[in-house]
Amino acid sequence: MSEPRTIDLLLAEARTRLRRLEPAAALAAQRDGAILVDLRCADQRRESGIIPGSAHVPLSVLYWRLDPTSGYDDPRLSDPVRQIVLLCADGYSSSLAAATLHDLGFARATDVIGGFTAWAAAGLPLEPAPD
C-alpha cells in the first residue's frame, strides 16, 4: 500500500503547472482582457473589499461555472481560451483550483501569488463589496 499524498505535495505539484502572477502582473493581465475570479467567501469580501471588475465565484461551484458543458456555466467565464486568474485569500486554494481548471481545458488559468492579501498589500485597486 502506498503512502497517502499530502496537501503540501499536491500544492507543489499544482504550482509546477502554472505561470503564477504577482499582483501587479495580475492587474496588467486584467487590463489586457483576463478575468479575475475571486474565490473568497462573502464574509471575507465584505470585510476586506473586492477587486474592481473581478467576478465572484465561490470555490464550491467554480468548476461548474467555468465548464461550458456543465449546464451551469457562466458565459462570461466559460471560454477556455480566455485567461482566468484566480484569487483566494492567500494563494493556496487558488493554485489547486487553477491546476484543476487546466485539467478542464483552461490552459491559461493561473492564480495570484499571495492571493487577495498580497493584492491589498501592494496597494492595488480595491472597492467595498456590494451589499
Side-chain angles (χ1 to χ4, degrees):
M1 182 180 231
S2 65
E3 288 293 314
R5 297 169 70 195
T6 66
I7 191 63
D8 288 336
L9 178 60
L10 288 176
L11 182 61
E13 289 174 354
R15 287 179 170 168
T16 65
R17 300 169 56 195
L18 305 175
R19 296 177 73 189
R20 302 181 75 216
L21 301 176
E22 293 288 344
L27 177 60
Q30 182 187 37
R31 289 178 176 155
D32 288 340
I35 188 155
L36 272 55
V37 177
D38 187 345
L39 305 174
R40 296 174 304 136
C41 70
D43 288 342
Q44 289 175 315
R45 291 166 48 85
R46 274 191 298 276
E47 180 181 305
S48 304
I50 64 170
I51 297 168
S54 65
H56 178 229
V57 181
L59 184 56
S60 61
V61 296
L62 176 70
Y63 312 114
W64 288 267
R65 295 296 179 266
L66 270 75
D67 183 350
T69 69
S70 73
Y72 300 97
D73 70 305
D74 180 333
R76 297 174 305 143
L77 308 174
S78 59
D79 177 359
V81 175
R82 188 172 190 185
Q83 185 178 24
I84 302 291
V85 181
L86 304 178
L87 292 107
C88 64
D90 296 304
Y92 296 96
S93 59
S94 58
S95 293
L96 294 171
T100 301
L101 289 179
H102 277 242
D103 294 338
L104 289 173
F106 290 82
R108 298 179 66 206
T110 191
D111 74 327
V112 175
I113 298 167
F116 183 86
T117 300
W119 180 285
L124 298 178
L126 296 174
E127 63 187 23
D131 291 332

